[in-house]
Amino acid sequence: MTTLLQVQNITKKFGGLTANNDISFEVKENEILSVIGPNGAGKSTLFKMISSFLPTSSGQVLLNGERISNLKPHIVARKGVVRTFQETTIFKSMTVRESVIVAQHLRAKASLAGYFWGTSAAHRDVEDFGSYADELIAFLGMSAIADEQASNLPQGNLRALGIAIGLATDPKVLLLDEPFAGMNHDETMTMVDLVRKVRDERGVTVLLVEHDMPAVMKISDRIVVLNFGEMIAEGTPREIQNDKKVIEAYLGSADDEIGI
């Protein structure tokens, strides 16, 4: 498989605290790669640097060989690396369909003035955005709730809407921050199938941070493990389950938390 995203010697320091130290790994095209680790391991900081919400102290992130680290987040998103958030940042006063339409602003061809004056380019954008929103909503199995206000949605549907909003930007890499948080087993398995569908049918590479280890072991092609800001392991789910450093990092937790 072709390498799509490269994390090269990433370090992040906050004063005297090193949150991430010299982390390197690659993400292959059409892969689902999970980043795991105990609380405080540096997972969220790493995600913020990959999506350029935080600058690196040293090291770089490359997309198709082009450096994207330390650019403006909207520029990184436009290049194809799009992040969803642990706290579901949805336009809660809008419907599902309206939320997905608004999320497509990165693809707009008309200018802001064009929207104000109602130019033909703006009208074409509005038509295209509506059609694409309907396509994504149907793809994710949400057509029945397309006109439901986002604030009324249960957790599972909110997470699915977050993915729809991410997909609306036509990402090459979708970064999912704890997509299974707060879900029961059935909801989690539904979301696992949904994320796989995004990879298999839309061709989107997925990088996710998650604490739900059974879900991680089920969905991941490969796993990267952090502990105290250091990368301590990388491998397939089976390799990670049997890695002594990983088991030691999770000591004090029930064995089934890391899928053993």
Side-chain angles (χ1 to χ4, degrees):
M1 278 196 286
T2 305
T3 297
L4 181 60
L5 189 77
Q6 294 171 283
V7 176
Q8 297 182 337
N9 308 108
I10 287 291
T11 295
K12 182 61 183 178
K13 296 183 178 181
F14 298 97
L17 172 68
T18 300
N20 291 133
N21 185 36
D22 198 30
I23 295 173
S24 297
F25 61 89
E26 295 182 348
V27 185
K28 306 293 186 183
E29 205 168 45
N30 290 337
E31 182 176 41
I32 298 177
L33 185 141
S34 297
V35 179
I36 68 170
N39 288 331
K43 305 182 297 296
S44 292
T45 300
L46 177 64
F47 245 42
K48 288 174 182 175
M49 287 191 289
I50 292 172
S51 55
S52 212
F53 279 82
L54 272 179
T56 64
S57 297
S58 61
Q60 62 181 356
V61 180
L62 305 177
L63 178 68
N64 284 325
E66 177 188 359
R67 180 174 180 143
I68 60 170
S69 45
N70 301 350
L71 299 177
K72 297 292 185 183
H74 71 275
I75 295 175
V76 172
R78 191 170 280 123
K79 289 179 180 293
V81 177
V82 176
R83 178 189 172 201
T84 68
F85 292 84
Q86 183 177 349
E87 297 300 325
T88 312
T89 49
I90 302 298
F91 312 112
K92 293 198 173 181
S93 64
M94 295 183 180
T95 66
V96 168
R97 187 175 188 271
E98 288 168 344
S99 298
V100 180
I101 288 173
V102 168
Q104 296 179 64
H105 71 280
L106 287 177
R107 303 194 301 113
K109 293 182 172 63
S111 65
L112 188 60
Y115 281 101
F116 181 80
W117 293 110
T119 63
S120 57
H123 284 299
R124 281 194 299 272
D125 278 350
V126 170
E127 250 182 57
D128 290 345
F129 294 170
S131 297
Y132 193 47
D134 292 337
E135 177 188 330
L136 287 177
I137 289 166
F139 170 73
L140 295 170
M142 301 173 70
S143 295
I145 59 169
D147 296 321
E148 187 71 44
Q149 193 165 311
S151 59
N152 296 332
L153 298 179
Q155 184 72 4
N157 286 336
L158 273 176
R159 295 287 177 177
L161 178 53
I163 290 176
I165 287 172
L167 288 177
T169 65
D170 282 340
K172 294 182 177 72
V173 183
L174 190 61
L175 278 61
L176 303 179
D177 193 351
E178 299 200 24
F180 314 125
M183 294 185 182
N184 62 36
H185 174 76
D186 290 344
E187 289 172 330
T188 297
M189 290 304 102
T190 297
M191 187 58 66
V192 164
D193 291 341
L194 189 61
V195 174
R196 276 188 179 148
K197 187 179 180 184
V198 166
R199 187 272 305 274
D200 295 342
E201 297 186 24
R202 310 294 295 196
V204 177
T205 300
V206 178
L207 179 60
L208 63 91
V209 163
E210 185 52 60
H211 282 290
D212 187 325
M213 289 303 101
V216 165
M217 294 300 166
K218 187 175 179 65
I219 199 174
S220 306
D221 296 310
R222 287 188 305 122
I223 299 170
V224 166
V225 188
L226 303 184
N227 193 32
F228 294 112
E230 305 271 354
M231 190 172 119
I232 61 170
E234 178 182 6
T236 65
R238 183 178 294 276
E239 289 168 339
I240 294 303
Q241 285 174 315
N242 296 316
D243 190 290
K244 290 182 180 179
K245 288 183 180 179
V246 177
I247 294 169
E248 288 172 4
Y250 279 90
L251 281 177
S253 302
D255 286 345
D256 60 9
E257 285 194 22
I258 53 171
I260 295 175

